[in-house]
Amino acid sequence: MSTSTVLITGATSGFGLASARLFAEHGYPLIITGRRVDRLQKLSDELSALVPVHYVPLDVRDAQAVSEMVATLPESFRNIEVLVNNAGLALGSGPAWEASLEDWHTMIDTNVTGLVNVTHCLLPILRQQPKASIINLASVASNWSYPGSHVYGGSKAFVAQFSRNLRCDLAGSGVRVTSLEPGMCETEFSLVRFKGDQEKSDNLYKGVNPIRPDDIADIIFWIASQPAHININSLEVMPTSQAWDNFKVVRETD
Ligand code: NDP
Ligand code: 8X3
């Protein structure tokens, strides 16, 4: 069993859940967080058979709660070597002028402010480690524009650039930083984006053979397992069935 702990935000579903299981299989003590307590409890019960698990109900938007979570960590979980900044969401997929301002704020508060809250609190701990990793969940939407991405893509562009800038400050400290940028992966992501419309979510993935949460967990584990002298700066991954499309041109005759 490893003596170094892995902290995962948003471990109640999707990438976070799959990563928690994979790190546990490899013997890493875990701190798992998310808002849905019942799911955290269930996952903790499942994984405690393999490794020590500390679960903390946490909304990453609440800077005070994040700070308290870190300040009150049991001594045996303070040795955090891997931070998976995964909690995040998209809300809505229509054009910008139809989006709700509340949804925009929620995405910024979660994907930008929440990730910054957690990172800021964890940096002093991570910097004490001989080798550590911050793995930030950005997106293909960080790099490429598409209709309906507006604030979601903007928030993920922040994550990618923040990751690169952190790298500059942390170079030589032993703390590696990665911007992981997946494309279409079937999780609860689209169910959340489409406000609970399961049919719309299912249709999006129909016939696509999308990325699976376990695929992303494998990549996260691989990034964290690199030797100390290697930093994976960014990694963009799509299902084979997904690719870029042409620029949009609106003609006067349209
Ligand atoms: P899921 O919806 O399956 O999981 C999202 C996780 O984030 C849940 O565990 C949820 O937990 C947590 N979360 C959301 N809001 C908060 C909050 N305010 N505080 C704490 N936790 C929160 O989606 P994915 O696993 O697909 O998404 C994980 C990350 O990957 C996200 O950042 C997403 O933007 C990104 N991503 C997803 C892609 C995809 O196609 N699926 C592609 C590229 C990037 P809870 O609700 O219990 O709080
Ligand atoms: C999620 C992937 O393509 O829906 O970040 O923006 S996409």
Side-chain angles (χ1 to χ4, degrees):
M1 181 171 328
S2 169
T3 51
S4 303
T5 298
V6 177
L7 191 159
I8 302 173
T9 65
T12 56
S13 170
F15 304 164
L17 176 63
S19 301
R21 286 190 171 131
L22 189 60
F23 278 105
E25 279 166 26
H26 285 86
Y28 284 84
L30 290 173
I31 302 165
I32 51 173
T33 73
R35 292 165 302 175
R36 284 169 289 184
V37 190
D38 51 334
R39 291 194 183 198
L40 285 175
Q41 209 156 16
K42 204 164 151 236
L43 186 61
S44 172
D45 289 347
E46 174 193 329
L47 300 182
S48 292
L50 300 172
V51 288
V53 179
H54 178 61
Y55 75 86
V56 187
L58 179 74
D59 187 327
V60 292
R61 293 172 293 180
D62 183 343
Q64 181 69 26
V66 172
S67 165
E68 274 165 24
M69 185 264 295
V70 175
T72 58
L73 281 175
E75 200 51 44
S76 58
F77 287 92
R78 297 196 68 80
N79 200 27
I80 299 166
E81 185 186 285
V82 180
L83 165 62
V84 184
N85 263 328
N86 166 75
L89 80 176
L91 291 171
S93 59
W97 61 87
E98 285 176 8
S100 96
L101 183 59
E102 196 187 343
D103 284 352
W104 280 7
H105 283 164
T106 304
M107 287 187 276
I108 294 167
D109 292 348
T110 310
N111 302 349
V112 176
T113 309
L115 183 136
V116 162
N117 288 342
V118 176
T119 306
H120 191 264
C121 276
L122 265 294
L123 277 177
I125 294 178
L126 294 167
R127 288 184 68 239
Q128 283 169 9
Q129 310 293 340
K131 173 185 141 195
S133 303
I134 301 174
I135 302 171
N136 291 330
L137 262 297
S139 167
V140 290
S142 309
N143 308 327
W144 309 102
S145 301
Y146 64 87
S149 177
H150 36 81
V151 166
Y152 177 69
S155 72
K156 291 298 182 178
F158 172 88
V159 174
Q161 185 68 353
F162 179 57
S163 305
R164 286 187 285 266
N165 290 341
L166 269 182
R167 273 279 287 130
C168 296
D169 288 355
L170 290 166
S173 72
V175 183
R176 291 89 56 85
V177 187
T178 302
S179 170
L180 177 54
E181 298 154 4
M184 270 180 123
C185 177
E186 188 165 7
T187 59
E188 292 176 21
F189 175 82
S190 292
L191 191 62
V192 172
R193 185 172 208 167
F194 301 144
K195 313 275 174 78
D197 188 334
Q198 186 70 58
E199 198 183 347
K200 201 168 168 189
S201 173
D202 291 345
N203 284 339
L204 183 77
Y205 300 115
K206 211 168 265 173
V208 168
N209 199 4
I211 302 171
R212 313 279 165 200
D214 285 348
D215 300 321
I216 297 297
D218 284 342
I219 292 170
I220 289 172
F221 186 79
W222 175 79
I223 291 169
S225 307
Q226 290 303 302
H229 66 291
I230 295 296
N231 192 108
I232 306 296
N233 297 337
S234 62
L235 198 160
E236 189 181 273
V237 51
M238 285 178 178
T240 310
S241 57
Q242 187 180 24
W244 311 274
D245 210 341
N246 292 331
F247 285 120
K248 178 173 178 172
V249 178
V250 180
R251 299 181 193 285
E252 286 174 8
T253 50
D254 286 348

